[in-house]
């Protein structure tokens, strides 16, 4: 069986998928990055190795996400693309008529505007976590409620409670105040969901023409409370794709198929899970920019460098 591998390395999760020529998803892994992207990439490759090494041929590999360059040199990627492109490709493949993509992950959020199948505008929020999944994680921990139950509890709300969502610190103090006033926990949770949606629309979605069909993806799309809050705020139905939490990786795999187009892949093989990798960084003093260069070595051999504003260190 011939498949294509897509890897999306983010700050919170690392996702790996295998798709065939017809975009059928054969495998999807959603792993917590835990600040150790190299280790989790190896872990993901080991899981795929155990299950598929003798059963499939990898015809192409694509990487995306904040750790796309790191993942690319480790596995031998055929294409390395940004998250906007990867998410747009995946979504337009499964929902061709989509006009707006809402993507909320653990540490960042983005909006992608699509018209006639082409990305015409986008925006990202990477500075503050108030409109992301970590915001909900923090508040769930504060309330001692499993994040998995957050959305279902929000749907039980009967009273609208407005909670400040512009800042995580203010939201927490506001939430404590509402608890002291005697509001029910489900009403407070629903208020938090609405606060996240309000924050997203006022920051990431500011001045954007949000038209249906609207597709909601990323890990936070699993939260039913957030889905309903978006539907109420926008007055539109919200589409959540089947593989909502690994759409970036799916997009990378589709891009890999297009990039190889029958050519030989650069994929190193599943054995990369067994290699030892080391990273280091150093400051380049060849010009006033003083770029910080990141370097990764595989079994003692340098395989990649990035971070410079010129090509000096790119040649290995």
């Amino acid at each position: 069986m011939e498949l294509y591998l897509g890897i999306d390395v983010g700050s919170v999760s690392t996702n790996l998928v295998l798709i065939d020529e017809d975009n059928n998803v054969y495998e999807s892994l959603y792993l917590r990055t835990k600040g150790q992207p190299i280790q989790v990439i190896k872990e993901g490759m080991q899981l795929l190795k155990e299950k598929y090494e003798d059963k499939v041929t990898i015809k192409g590999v694509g990487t995306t996400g904040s750790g796309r360059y790191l993942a690319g040199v480790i596995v031998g990627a055929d294409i390395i693309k940004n998250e906007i492109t990867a998410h747009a490709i995946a979504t337009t493949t499964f929902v061709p008529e989509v006009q707006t993509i809402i993507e909320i992950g653990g540490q960042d959020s983005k909006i992608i505007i699509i018209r006639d199948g082409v990305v015409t505008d986008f925006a990202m929020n990477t500075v503050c976590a108030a409109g992301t999944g970590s915001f909900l994680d923090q508040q769930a921990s504060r309330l001692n409620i499993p994040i998995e139950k957050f959305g279902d509890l929000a749907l039980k709300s009967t009273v609208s409670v407005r909670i400040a969502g512009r800042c995580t610190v203010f939201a927490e103090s506001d939430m404590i105040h509402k608890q002291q006033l005697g509001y029910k926990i489900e009403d407070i949770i629903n208020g938090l969901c609405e606060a996240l949606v309000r924050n997203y629309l006022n920051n990431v979605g500011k001045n954007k023409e949000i038209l249906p069909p609207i597709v909601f993806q990323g890990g936070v799309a699993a939260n039913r409370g957030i889905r309903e809050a978006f539907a109420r705020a926008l007055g539109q139905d919200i589409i959540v794709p089947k593989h909502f939490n690994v759409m970036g990786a799916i997009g990378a795999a589709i891009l890999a198929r297009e990039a190889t187009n029958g050519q030989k892949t650069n994929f190193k093989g599943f054995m990369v899970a067994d290699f030892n990798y080391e990273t280091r960084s150093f400051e380049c003093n060849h010009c006033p920019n003083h770029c910080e260069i990141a370097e990764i070595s595989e079994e003692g051999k340098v395989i990649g460098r990035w971070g410079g504003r010129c090509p000096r260190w790119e040649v290995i």
Side-chain angles (χ1 to χ4, degrees):
M1 187 189 306
E2 297 180 344
L3 300 177
Y4 296 86
L5 171 63
I7 303 175
D8 181 1
V9 182
S11 53
V12 172
S13 70
T14 294
N15 312 318
L16 297 87
V17 302
L18 292 173
I19 67 168
D20 64 10
E21 289 281 354
D22 299 317
N23 302 320
N24 296 308
V25 178
Y26 275 79
E27 184 68 71
S28 68
L29 299 177
Y30 183 91
L31 309 171
R32 290 279 182 171
T33 305
K34 297 178 181 176
Q36 297 180 303
I38 295 176
Q39 194 57 41
V40 80
I41 291 168
K42 289 177 62 177
E43 179 187 333
M45 293 302 291
Q46 181 62 36
L47 291 170
L48 293 179
K49 177 184 177 183
E50 292 170 1
K51 193 170 180 180
Y52 293 101
E53 186 175 29
D54 300 323
K55 299 177 182 177
V56 305
T57 300
I58 301 299
K59 298 287 288 181
V61 183
T63 61
T64 189
S66 55
R68 58 187 178 272
Y69 295 108
L70 185 69
V73 296
I74 289 176
V75 301
D78 299 294
I79 189 167
I80 299 173
K81 277 288 183 180
N82 61 73
E83 304 101 298
I84 300 295
T85 304
H87 277 280
I89 285 287
T91 311
T92 53
T93 298
F94 293 104
V95 189
E97 66 277 14
V98 62
Q99 294 204 86
T100 306
I101 300 172
I102 294 172
E103 198 274 340
I104 304 180
Q107 292 282 340
D108 66 2
S109 55
K110 57 185 75 74
I111 187 169
I112 306 171
I113 305 299
I114 296 176
R115 298 293 181 264
D116 299 320
V118 178
V119 175
T120 60
D121 196 8
F122 71 90
M124 296 181 68
N125 172 29
T126 57
V127 177
C128 175
T132 67
S134 60
F135 169 78
L136 291 180
D137 275 336
Q138 280 186 320
Q139 308 319 319
S141 176
R142 166 74 180 75
L143 294 167
N144 198 28
I145 294 171
I147 189 64
E148 294 80 12
K149 295 182 179 179
F150 218 71
D152 291 334
L153 277 171
L155 296 181
K156 295 178 181 178
S157 171
T158 56
V159 178
S160 180
V161 178
R162 187 177 179 89
I163 292 176
R166 191 168 291 277
C167 172
T168 302
V169 177
F170 292 154
E172 190 161 312
S173 60
D174 205 13
M175 184 176 71
I176 293 169
H177 178 61
K178 294 298 192 293
Q179 282 180 291
Q180 291 169 340
L181 290 176
Y183 283 101
K184 292 181 179 179
I185 197 73
E186 54 263 37
D187 294 329
I188 292 173
I189 289 173
N190 186 54
L192 284 168
C193 291
E194 291 180 342
L196 183 145
V197 169
R198 205 163 50 243
N199 180 291
Y200 177 93
L201 294 175
N202 289 337
N203 291 286
V204 185
K206 188 176 182 180
N207 299 325
K208 298 287 186 275
E209 189 181 23
I210 301 175
L211 298 178
I214 301 168
V215 174
F216 182 24
Q217 54 203 45
V220 176
N223 189 311
R224 292 172 62 201
I226 297 290
R227 298 205 301 255
E228 290 300 317
F230 266 118
R232 288 195 301 271
L234 295 171
Q236 301 285 350
D237 290 333
I238 304 297
I239 301 169
V240 177
K242 180 180 178 182
H243 302 287
F244 63 87
N245 58 339
V246 294
M247 291 294 274
I250 291 173
I254 293 171
L255 287 163
R257 188 185 66 227
E258 294 175 355
T260 52
N261 195 27
Q263 304 294 316
K264 189 176 185 299
T265 179
N266 294 321
F267 182 51
K268 296 178 181 179
F270 291 112
M271 76 278 293
V272 297
D274 303 319
F275 293 160
N276 292 314
Y277 297 93
E278 293 183 0
T279 58
R280 74 180 187 104
S281 63
F282 59 90
E283 188 176 275
C284 174
N285 296 310
H286 285 275
C287 80
N289 284 324
H290 294 286
C291 298
E292 185 177 5
I293 309 300
E295 180 181 274
I296 181 169
S297 301
E298 178 184 272
E299 300 292 344
K301 179 184 177 182
V302 176
I303 58 172
R305 296 190 192 99
W306 52 87
R309 297 187 184 183
C310 75
R312 173 181 288 274
W313 296 102
E314 291 179 9
V315 179
I316 305 301

